[in-house]
Amino acid sequence: MKAFDKTFIKYGKEVYPYYYKDDAAERIYVKSSPSDDQLKNNVCTIIFKVEYCSVHIYEIPRKGYENKGYGSMAMRALIKHSIDKGYLGITGCLSYNDRHHISRLISFYAKNSFDIKLNSKRDSGKIQLDLTSPSELLRKLTERITLLENKLEEQKQKEKELQEKVASLEHDVANESKLLKFLKKYI
């Protein structure tokens, strides 16, 4: 198992991407803490095979950690890995079995720069990412990461301001009760 550099998801949490290959398939694992154990601390996995100088995604098993940024982090690791290997693209299918959450899948792949082709019923389709212009793709992904980091910073600032406001209100309430006690005692 090969470790990539640790990185961060949208909520500022550190995660650890890994690459693993066996006879059946290749995998990108995202782990919540460092571990060379293939099954330990996994929060997201992308299972893929290389076919004709292109990566084909076979499965991204659901693990109960959806909507936390782990999938996007795993996809970025797969994209970087694929570019480093000189692959020409990444493909995959949107399965009819996933039709109940197809809108989430469309959103996920779109934000990771994939082209999406749906069938006429819009319940399945194909995804494709062209890797022949890697610098442009990496620029887009870097812009998206920067945008997310800025949003996280804004969120942290708003949270800090709210905490300060709560502390100020708690202080005012505590002092107000002292004032009321004083007034009741002497008036």
Side-chain angles (χ1 to χ4, degrees):
M1 187 168 317
K2 175 186 172 193
F4 296 120
D5 293 334
K6 77 176 176 180
T7 189
F8 299 89
I9 59 167
K10 64 183 173 183
Y11 297 111
K13 183 177 178 175
E14 288 182 350
V15 291
Y16 304 85
Y18 289 82
Y19 166 77
Y20 178 79
K21 181 180 180 179
D22 61 23
D23 292 338
E26 297 176 55
R27 293 170 180 79
I28 295 291
Y29 290 111
V30 174
K31 297 174 174 287
S32 57
S33 60
S35 172
D36 285 337
D37 183 335
Q38 181 183 347
L39 302 175
K40 191 174 178 184
N41 306 325
N42 287 341
V43 291
C44 185
T45 305
I46 297 178
I47 302 169
F48 63 97
K49 288 187 179 180
V50 177
E51 301 171 346
Y52 310 110
C53 294
S54 185
V55 170
H56 183 77
I57 298 171
Y58 277 90
E59 186 177 7
I60 303 175
R62 295 177 75 180
K63 296 204 174 250
Y65 296 101
E66 289 80 15
N67 298 317
K68 297 190 182 333
Y70 298 120
S72 291
M73 205 313 346
M75 189 59 69
R76 285 192 303 271
L78 176 60
I79 291 168
K80 288 179 185 176
H81 171 76
S82 299
I83 289 170
D84 290 346
K85 291 290 190 178
Y87 301 139
L88 302 175
I90 301 175
T91 62
C93 294
L94 298 173
S95 170
Y96 177 78
N97 295 333
D98 295 325
R99 68 191 174 282
H100 301 296
H101 59 273
I102 195 96
S103 60
R104 263 192 11 194
L105 291 171
I106 291 168
S107 174
F108 169 74
Y109 286 112
K111 75 180 175 185
N112 285 291
S113 301
F114 280 78
D115 292 322
I116 302 159
K117 305 262 191 285
L118 296 175
N119 68 3
S120 60
K121 294 182 182 178
R122 299 186 58 81
D123 59 4
S124 62
K126 297 181 186 262
I127 55 146
Q128 181 176 352
L129 180 64
D130 182 5
L131 299 178
T132 57
S133 298
S135 58
E136 177 65 18
L137 178 61
L138 290 174
R139 185 190 59 75
K140 286 181 187 177
L141 290 173
T142 301
E143 285 176 1
R144 173 138 177 83
I145 291 167
T146 302
L147 177 68
L148 290 173
E149 287 171 344
N150 290 340
K151 284 183 179 181
L152 177 63
E153 215 37 60
E154 288 173 13
Q155 184 178 354
K156 285 179 180 179
Q157 182 62 32
K158 286 179 182 178
E159 190 175 298
K160 181 182 175 186
E161 290 169 4
L162 282 173
Q163 288 174 345
E164 289 171 356
K165 194 170 201 169
V166 166
S168 174
L169 289 172
E170 287 173 343
H171 180 265
D172 291 348
V173 167
N175 286 334
E176 183 178 300
S177 61
K178 289 177 186 176
L179 178 63
L180 287 175
K181 287 179 188 176
F182 174 79
L183 290 174
K184 285 181 184 178
K185 187 174 182 180
Y186 294 105
I187 297 182

